[in-house]
Each structure stands twice: as C-alpha cells, then as structure tokens.
Amino acid sequence: MSRTQPLPRVSLLALLLVPAMAAYANDGMDTAPATDASTTSAAATLDQVQVIGKATSYAKTTVRQETLARQPVLGSVNGVLNESPGVVVTEGDPYGTSVWTTQINIRGFVTGRDTQQIGTTIDGLPNGGSSYGGGSLANRYIDTLDLETVEISQGTADISSRSNEALGGTLNFLTSDPLDAQRVRFVVGAGQHEASKYYVRYDTGLLNNHTRAWVSASSARNVDWSDGSGQAKSDHLAGKFVTELDRWTLSGYLSYNDAVEPEYGSVSLAQFASRPDQDNLVGTLTGIPYLDQNFRSGSAALRQNTFGYLRGAFDADNGFKATVTAYGHTMDGRGDWLPPYLVDVTADGAGNPESEYTGGSTVFGGGPLGNIYYVNPDLSAAQASAGCIGQAGIPAQYAPNCYPNGAAGAMSYRHTHYDNERYGLTADLEWTRAFGRIENTVRGGLWLEQFDRTVTRDWHRLLNVGTDISFDARPYWVQFADAYEADEQMYYIEDVMRLDRFTARLGLKQFVLDQSRNRVIGASGKVRSDTSSDPLFSAGVTYAPEAMQGGEFFAGFSQNFRAIPQGVLGGSNQAELARVEPETADNLELGFRLNQWPLTASVTLYNIKFDNRIEFLPANLVSGIDYLGQVDGVYENVGGVESHGVEAAFGYGWDNGWRVNAAYTLNQSEYVGSGDAARDAALGIAVGNAVMGQAEHILVASADWQGESVTAGISGRYLGARQINRANSAELPSATVFNANIGFELADLSPRLKGVKAGLVISNLTDKRYLAGLDGENAAFIGAPRTASFQLTVDL
C-alpha cells in the first residue's frame, strides 16, 4: 500500500515572519561576517558557560561541563539533560538503569517506553528507535564517562539530522575524542543501593603524527531502591579513533553493551499518598500466583547492543567538503513478565494432566482455550468452587481458598525476544562560494538504512512456584513470531546565504519508508506500510546587530514528520493499519541569544501544531495487564496537540571561580482533538484540555565554583504540576529536587597523589518524595530517593 501524506499546514504567521525578518535584517547591514552553524561544525567546549547555539535560526543548547560533573559515574547519559532549557528527564532509578521508567519531555513531545517523538542520534547517526519493545536509548551506546556533551535542538534540528522520530527536537549524543597525550584512566565508583562501577580507559596519544585512539571498559552493578531485590547490571566496551591526514579525516567508533534491568512498578495517587516509598513490586515469593506476578526479578529487560561506524570527511580547502559514514547496529533483547496462570493451548481433556504443566511439547501459534490457575495433585486443572468470592482482594479465580486442598498454583514466565539488525550509509556534500559580498553555501545529503527485525513471544512454565522463578527451558507455547523489514531513504538540500550580519537559509527534506511485517508464527498475515512524506520545508534567518556584540536575533520554521512506527504493524492487520496516519508537526521559533563572556542569555518563543498524534494505549488501563495480548495495548491516532511557550536561559560568571545558570520554561500543550466528537469522547480526549504529563512551568537553577583543587556545585529543578489523565481530573503535585557535587584534586595532599581525584555526588539532596514520569493514565513512577555516590579517579 502506498500513501502520500498531505503537506503539513504552514501557518500564516510563518509565511509573514520570514520575509519580515529578512527585510529587517537587510536594513543597516555592515561588513562583519556572520557564521552559520548549519554549515560549520561548532564544537561546544565552553566549560564555564551555558552554551547557547550561535548563528543558528532555531533554539539549540549544549550540555555544560558542570552538569556532567553533577552526574554519578554510575548514572545514565540521559540524566545529563535535566538542566537544559525546555527538557525534562524523569527516571525511576537513581542511576538511570530502568528504561521502563525513563521519559524525556521537550515542549510537549515525549520519548519513553511507548511513545517516540524526539529524535536521538549518536555522533549524528540514528539510534534505530527509542521504544522499550526493541528500541535502544542513548545509554545503550555510550558510557557516561565517554560522553563529551549532548547537542539539544528543542524544536527544529539541523536539516541533516538522521531521525524519523524528530517531531519535537533532536538529541545528538557526542562521544569524546581521543586525547593528544597518552593516558590511562581508572575510575572506581560506589554508592547507595549496593552500587559499584569499575572503569578503565586507555588513550594512545598521537601516533605517527596523525592518529589518536582510545579504548574503554566498564562494569556497573546496583539494586533497586525500593526493597533491594532487583539486581541491575551493565557491562560496556567501547573504542574510538581519529586519523587526520592532509585533506581527509577518518574516524570510527565501536561499542558493546550488555545490560540487565529489573523494573519498577507504578502507583496511583492514593497509593503514593499512603506509601510514598513502595512501588508495588516485591522481593519475596508467597506461592500465590496473583501476588507473585509482582515479583520484581520477574519483570526485567535484558539487552545486548553492538553499534559502530566508520566515517571519512574530505575538505578540499576551496569551499568543497564531503563526508561519508557507514554504520551498523545489532540488538539482542528479551523482556520478561510473570503471568499468574498457564495458558491452556492444548485440549488435553477434562481430568487429564495438563500438557502445559507436564512439559515436553510446544504449541506453535493458535489461540488460548482458557487459563489454568491451579492444578490438582494428579496434574489436571483444578476448578474454583462455585460462588467463592476470593480473599484479601484476590479475585476468586486466583484465590487459593477457592480451590481444593492440595491444589498448587500455576504460573508462566512470558518472554518477548527481540533481534535487530541495522545497516546504513550517510553522505553529505557542501559547497561554499562567494558572490561579491554574499557568501553562499549549498548543502545536500542522503541517508539509506536497511532494518531487519524479529519479535518472538513464548511462554514457559514456572517450575517452582513460590520458591524461585526458574522455568522450563522448552516453551509450552510460542504465541507468535514476527519478521519486520524496513527500507528507509532520506534526502535533504539546503541553501544558506550570508551577507554581512545577516544569514538566511532555505531547505527541503523528504523521507521514504517501506515497511512490512510477516507473521511467521501466529494467526495474522503480512502487512505493509509504504509511507512517503511530502517534501518538508524549513527556513530561517539570523541577524547580529553591530551595536550588540555577541547578540543575535533568529527566526525559524520547519515541517516535521514521523513515519508509522513498527509497533503499529505488530498489532494490526492491513485494514487496521490503513486507519493509522503518520504524525506531522509544524514548528515556529523566534528568539534572541547573547554570548558575551561572562554573560550568556537566550529567550525563545515557539509555536507547534502537531497533527495525527499516534499514542500507545496500554491494555491495563481498563482490565489489568493483558498478558495474552499480542501487544501490550493498541496504537491510535488521537487527534492533535498545540503547544506554545517560551524558554529563557541565563548564565553569569565571576573571576573568583563562581558561575550561576538558570533556565525557565513556560509550556502550554493542549489537545486539539480528531474532529470526531464521538471518537474523542471514547478516547477520553476533551478538546482544550492540557496534555497529560506535561508541566506548564519548569525552572532550573545552578551555582558552581571552580577552585584550584576543589570544585563544587548545586542545582535545583522545579517541575510544575502535571495532569495525570486526559480528563484533567487529577494532577501530579509540583516538585523541587536538588542535586549537589563536590570534587577534590588530591595532589595538594601529597605529590604522590598527582592525577588522583575524588568526588561525591548526591542526587535528590533533600530526599524529596515525589512522582516522576507517567505510566499511562492515573499512574506514575515514584522518583528515586536521596542517593549518594562516591568516585575515585586515577590518571597515569
């Protein structure tokens, strides 16, 4: 099926503002050249300032080094985003080890377990999706200690950005370059919740006057903060090289990550009010399957990711540049759950032993005949007593008092297996030429990717119900096996004109994505989605007044597109898929930035029109977790969203080593609705209601001090109240959370300690009890309590 999407609506304001800004910028032009960061690589290395993108026609910031220092060495790279304007990251674990609970919000857009609307790239290359079910967040690719910084485009990203998820901004995680001097670094970290990390990195220094490289390895462990029963681990290997020849720069990166993550459960507002330090998962088994389904170690994510690229960049010194990159990524993963029953998939006959319990055979495909909750001593299915009402909140079909004496509980261990392979190529060309006073740059590029993926779900009998969660290695049922194929192309072209202090750009890009899903095992057949965006328009202007050194006005507009995600194909037949439309968004930004040491400041006004919102609706919103569902919910277009707001950032430093930074965001995101009142009502969407999970007010402030041998800092984030459902009938209370850090150079204590540093990081300094990210409607994950961690670094 081929479907061409209509061109996203261009707002009248956008059509009026761009020529107006151009006319304004042409008044009073002088001869000082302006640099456009869209054609020049702008390295972000200002250690003491809030780095604010310069000469870009859209809002762009870069994570500061002080923010990186405030992260525990055991933490996730996602956590470094939290002090940036307009960005909110919520994690249920103090060290970021739970992807299930991780959410990233920017201007009303979300990337989380089941929604992906913010682009993620690694050194400019796509991450292959951010969903929990088979995706990979940035922490799967980069160790925190190998991270240089993160480039954050809150709305409009650079036109060359390779992501078809970027409806609302792009996060580009950059790995650190090799050092010029040889060095061996050892880091040991330890913290609360039995946390430990061991890290080593070797930088070769300059080899043969042209090559630098590093290799690193790390191993981290911790338990959950709730009851300590879940064991999380992450083992990471990585390496990078850079070779600089006469006109060529060659580089490459390779990483491997092996992670196991027990999860956290969500709570209602009432549950949080009564037990603010318990997340509804437990660390002990009772022998009652209905209770033991909440055993923490039975809800886990196991993932192995390997990612690498080779890049060649050519600079002819005559205005012509070219870059070609080849990359690959594989992911093997598994998601675990503990359903409190066996699925009856074989008609063994009344009174006969249940083959699902006895084992030795596997059923492929087909559907359930019912559920087996308890078995008799003769291994036949036990029957609940008629009229039994259960006990202590346990429904009758699960309650042991409703079954004959001697009946034993039956449970499954449900596994969903993921196997991803991606291979891609990117190519970029750039040509700059002067035409009198006008310097003109033409850019263009391609992105090609082949993505093959399999998803298999199988069910295993739990062998020792109530004792441990060991399971029969041979599944009694393979529910389904899906094979996905995706072939993606993207091209872009942009023209950038610079005249004195005025810069203007105009660009087009387009995505073409052919996807298919073939159900190898299971009842559904093959479905296909061939989706092409219309050419997506972007434009922008910047103007740097002569009278305002370091100041710059900017305006930008872009049309963004997100293809139908593979998750939609997994739970749809061809007719159902035809009813789902890709998402589109129009983004308009106006702003001013100032970068004049020691002062930095920026303010951005934005307006976003988001259409055809696709949202994952978890099945447990109605009737509890539907373990039998081939997906854990359904995808729907739920109308649209309009967002508008302002982001402001400020930073100032003194010669005595102090630096303060602050960022305020006012964001108002409201549901637009689908135009069908009955459908909106069925989905619980009231037009004009605030989008759930989005804070209207966000304030971040920090103070940092850099001494000769001591560094210290503190930051605080105020997160305003957020609606917990579409009806806006209840909200998550506002919360203010502080983080602090202090570091020491130990050489002052003894010359023998040269190159030795120690640091202490405390997150949630005041031990604030609060709710972090949403888990569907009317439920949220509890924010992690105060957590202290210590690190020791030795450089040789």
Side-chain angles (χ1 to χ4, degrees), residues 622-701:
V622 178
S623 58
I625 297 175
D626 181 14
Y627 295 108
L628 284 170
Q630 293 184 354
V631 294
D632 294 322
V634 295
Y635 286 92
E636 297 279 357
N637 288 113
V638 292
V641 170
E642 283 189 356
S643 298
H644 60 273
V646 59
E647 293 167 352
F650 169 85
Y652 193 83
W654 291 267
D655 292 337
N656 61 5
W658 280 99
R659 180 80 190 174
V660 295
N661 290 279
Y664 170 72
T665 301
L666 169 65
N667 178 76
Q668 294 178 327
S669 298
E670 299 177 347
Y671 291 111
V672 175
S674 64
D676 183 333
R679 177 176 173 79
D680 291 343
L683 292 171
I685 295 175
V687 176
N689 275 11
V691 175
M692 66 178 189
Q694 301 299 321
E696 183 172 354
H697 300 282
I698 308 165
L699 176 63
V700 178

Side-chain angles (χ1 to χ4, degrees), residues 22-333:
Y24 169 73
N26 278 297
D27 289 337
M29 292 183 296
D30 58 34
T31 58
T35 303
D36 189 340
S38 64
T39 61
T40 303
S41 177
T45 57
L46 298 178
D47 290 346
Q48 288 102 2
V49 301
Q50 168 72 52
V51 180
I52 299 173
K54 181 175 175 59
T56 54
S57 56
Y58 48 86
K60 183 178 180 179
T61 59
T62 304
V63 171
R64 298 177 295 111
Q65 292 301 309
E66 297 96 328
T67 300
L68 295 177
R70 228 176 327 273
Q71 307 306 309
V73 294
L74 298 103
S76 160
V77 294
N78 301 306
V80 308
L81 302 168
N82 254 330
E83 296 180 24
S84 304
V87 183
V88 175
V89 178
T90 54
E91 297 175 305
D93 184 89
Y95 303 114
T97 59
S98 171
V99 170
W100 181 258
T101 65
T102 298
Q103 293 178 10
I104 304 172
N105 292 265
I106 303 178
R107 295 185 182 178
F109 292 94
V110 180
T111 279
R113 182 184 74 238
D114 43 40
T115 304
Q116 295 79 51
Q117 298 165 338
I118 300 168
T120 299
T121 55
I122 312 299
D123 285 343
L125 298 172
N127 71 327
S130 302
S131 70
Y132 176 83
S136 300
L137 291 178
N139 57 305
R140 305 295 193 199
Y141 302 97
I142 308 175
D143 189 291
T144 301
L145 294 171
D146 292 329
L147 179 70
E148 176 66 27
T149 189
V150 186
E151 295 176 338
I152 304 166
S153 300
Q154 285 92 336
T156 301
D158 185 273
I159 194 171
S160 66
S161 178
R162 269 77 178 190
S163 176
N164 61 15
E165 294 181 340
L167 280 171
T170 298
L171 306 170
N172 185 23
F173 293 80
L174 299 177
T175 58
S176 61
D177 279 340
L179 300 178
D180 290 330
Q182 188 180 55
R183 186 190 71 183
V184 178
R185 166 166 286 184
F186 297 95
V187 179
V188 177
Q192 291 178 277
H193 317 300
E194 301 179 23
S196 64
K197 181 172 182 176
Y198 302 94
Y199 169 92
V200 60
R201 170 167 157 168
Y202 170 63
D203 281 82
T204 65
L206 192 61
L207 302 175
N208 298 322
N209 294 319
H210 56 61
T211 298
R212 297 166 290 142
W214 60 257
V215 292
S216 71
S218 67
S219 182
R221 302 288 187 272
N222 67 277
V223 300
D224 68 278
W225 59 262
S226 184
D227 61 17
S229 63
Q231 301 280 337
K233 78 158 191 173
S234 178
D235 295 322
H236 195 85
L237 295 171
K240 185 176 183 178
F241 79 91
V242 176
T243 299
E244 295 174 318
L245 304 175
D246 183 24
R247 298 186 184 277
W248 283 92
T249 298
L250 306 178
S251 59
Y253 177 73
L254 180 64
S255 69
Y256 170 78
N257 180 264
D258 183 1
V260 176
E261 299 177 352
E263 303 301 355
Y264 292 85
S266 58
V267 299
S268 66
L269 289 174
Q271 289 171 329
F272 176 71
S274 62
R275 296 187 303 169
D277 57 354
Q278 225 302 316
D279 69 338
N280 285 336
L281 295 185
V282 297
T284 57
L285 294 167
T286 66
I288 302 175
Y290 186 78
L291 301 178
D292 291 347
Q293 67 175 318
N294 297 316
F295 186 61
R296 189 180 309 277
S297 296
S299 300
L302 295 77
R303 301 287 192 271
Q304 293 178 329
N305 281 268
T306 302
F307 171 78
Y309 68 81
L310 291 173
R311 174 173 290 154
F314 176 77
D315 188 344
D317 286 341
N318 61 359
F320 177 79
K321 298 180 181 180
T323 303
V324 177
T325 307
Y327 66 91
H329 172 220
T330 64
M331 192 277 280
D332 294 317

